[in-house]
Amino acid sequence: MKTSRIASLSVASNAFVVALKLVIGFVTGSVAIVSEAIHSTLDLAASLIAFFAVRVASRPPDPKHPYGHGKFENVSGTVETLLIFVAGIWIIYESVEKILHPAPIRLPWLGVGAMLLGAVINFIVGKTVQKAGEKARSVAMRSNALHLLTDVYSSLGVAASLVLVSLTNWTILDPIIGIAIALYIMKEALHLVKEAFHPLVDTGLSDKENATIRSILDKYQNRFLEYHDLRTRRAGSEEHIDLHLVVPSNMKVEMAHEICNDIEKDLQQALHNPKVLIHIEPEQERISTIQQGKPDSGNAT
């Protein structure tokens, strides 16, 4: 399935779950179920954001966006995780209100059934979105999957609280479970927002990815003199890599081009979706640069 189709599946499933939880929440009077409906509403908003972000990010480069549209996914992922924080704060507020002003829960077993149905739907769709997001290295889709899977755990928690309330008549369990759900989803969001936000400020690739790049360059070190000014960054599912490659001044252009092609081919196989730019630099020019005392940026070998 294409990523856009999977994103649209997430939108449809979230719309159904939101309607289900809202109706059951008002019927039973459970703040935990209403909080879950609010959580799922934000999940729906996140699914819509992811749907449009994936479509935009897949567009080819154009005159206004010569480096492509990959960072639209990072913007989407950041907004989605911020929505999770908003959901958490709202759930805590509603739960505290229920503690201060307790009210009985009507038809708790109806709520249990609705929560279990919502959990099953979101688990199936969430795992599908998660698998597609990991395969496509899409931060927007992984953020969306996090929304769906945290909804599974929170729905199961609400179902458990409703069972306990019906057996013990301790209505305070309902808002306490609501607060626990809020703290959990906010904790999960904190990890993901770091992954989504860092590429927006052009943070370099991970140490593991940079080590892979250097090992590939070292593999061809007998065919060039050195490399320097190695820089990396991420934009959505794309890795951007650029460096200077120093070759003998008398090397033919065709041979230098062949070296670059071999390096790029290996990088394509080792990484997910690298965009590589290699600047060929003749040895004599490199010597002149060093003699003039111009500093390098990045790593050299």
Side-chain angles (χ1 to χ4, degrees):
M1 295 175 69
K2 294 182 179 179
T3 53
S4 59
R5 288 179 60 192
I6 294 177
S8 64
L9 173 65
S10 173
V11 172
S13 67
N14 267 315
F16 173 78
V17 171
V18 167
L20 175 68
K21 291 180 179 179
L22 280 175
V23 171
I24 300 301
F26 286 119
V27 169
T28 60
S30 168
V31 68
I33 296 180
V34 173
S35 298
E36 267 298 285
I38 295 170
H39 178 198
S40 295
T41 301
L42 291 175
D43 288 347
L44 176 58
S47 296
L48 288 168
I49 292 171
F51 174 73
F52 288 108
V54 167
R55 291 175 67 90
V56 172
S58 63
R59 293 175 183 171
D62 56 42
K64 288 188 176 180
H65 305 90
Y67 291 97
H69 301 78
K71 286 191 177 182
F72 278 92
E73 284 205 27
N74 298 104
V75 173
S76 169
T78 301
V79 172
E80 287 179 48
T81 50
L82 292 177
L83 285 176
I84 294 180
F85 279 104
V86 173
I89 293 170
W90 182 260
I91 292 171
I92 291 173
Y93 172 80
E94 290 295 325
S95 298
V96 171
E97 282 289 309
K98 190 66 176 289
I99 292 174
L100 296 176
H101 306 94
I105 297 176
R106 301 177 297 274
L107 303 172
W109 293 103
L110 179 62
V112 171
M115 290 300 98
L116 292 178
L117 176 59
V120 170
I121 292 172
N122 280 332
F123 179 79
I124 294 172
V125 177
K127 284 296 184 180
T128 302
V129 174
Q130 184 182 57
K131 183 178 180 180
E134 289 174 354
K135 184 177 180 180
R137 297 291 291 272
S138 169
V139 68
M141 293 190 69
R142 292 207 303 273
S143 298
N144 191 22
L146 175 62
H147 276 272
L148 292 164
L149 294 176
T150 53
D151 192 273
V152 171
Y153 299 126
S154 57
S155 293
L156 292 176
V158 171
S161 73
L162 291 173
V163 171
L164 290 173
V165 167
S166 66
L167 295 176
T168 64
N169 204 31
W170 294 348
T171 56
I172 196 172
L173 290 174
D174 183 48
I176 288 176
I177 292 294
I179 292 174
I181 291 168
L183 294 176
Y184 170 74
I185 63 176
M186 292 170 76
K187 173 180 172 292
E188 291 297 310
L190 185 63
H191 294 293
L192 192 56
V193 74
K194 294 178 181 179
E195 180 182 355
F197 179 74
H198 284 171
L200 293 177
V201 290
D202 287 337
T203 301
L205 299 182
S206 68
D207 292 340
K208 182 179 179 180
E209 289 168 317
N210 280 314
T212 297
I213 294 168
R214 294 191 189 98
S215 68
I216 290 173
L217 289 169
D218 291 342
K219 174 183 174 181
Y220 294 97
Q221 62 183 351
N222 63 328
R223 297 173 63 184
F224 60 83
L225 299 179
E226 69 164 18
Y227 69 88
H228 60 98
D229 287 0
L230 171 62
R231 301 184 302 178
T232 63
R233 65 182 179 90
R234 187 180 303 284
S237 62
E238 299 175 350
E239 303 100 351
H240 289 261
I241 305 163
D242 65 79
L243 66 136
H244 290 209
L245 198 68
V246 181
V247 299
S249 298
N250 61 351
M251 178 179 283
K252 293 183 177 181
V253 173
E254 291 82 359
M255 186 174 294
H257 180 67
E258 182 181 346
I259 295 172
C260 293
N261 280 343
D262 290 342
I263 292 173
E264 290 177 18
K265 182 178 179 181
D266 280 6
L267 289 173
Q268 290 284 349
Q269 294 176 348
L271 300 174
H272 174 70
N273 188 20
K275 306 298 179 185
V276 186
L277 176 63
I278 301 177
H279 172 74
I280 292 296
E281 188 174 330
E283 178 185 12
Q284 191 57 48
E285 180 179 323
R286 176 63 174 155
I287 293 173
S288 299
T289 300
I290 294 175
Q291 289 176 344
Q292 293 172 9
K294 293 182 180 180
D296 290 333
S297 61
N299 297 282
T301 185

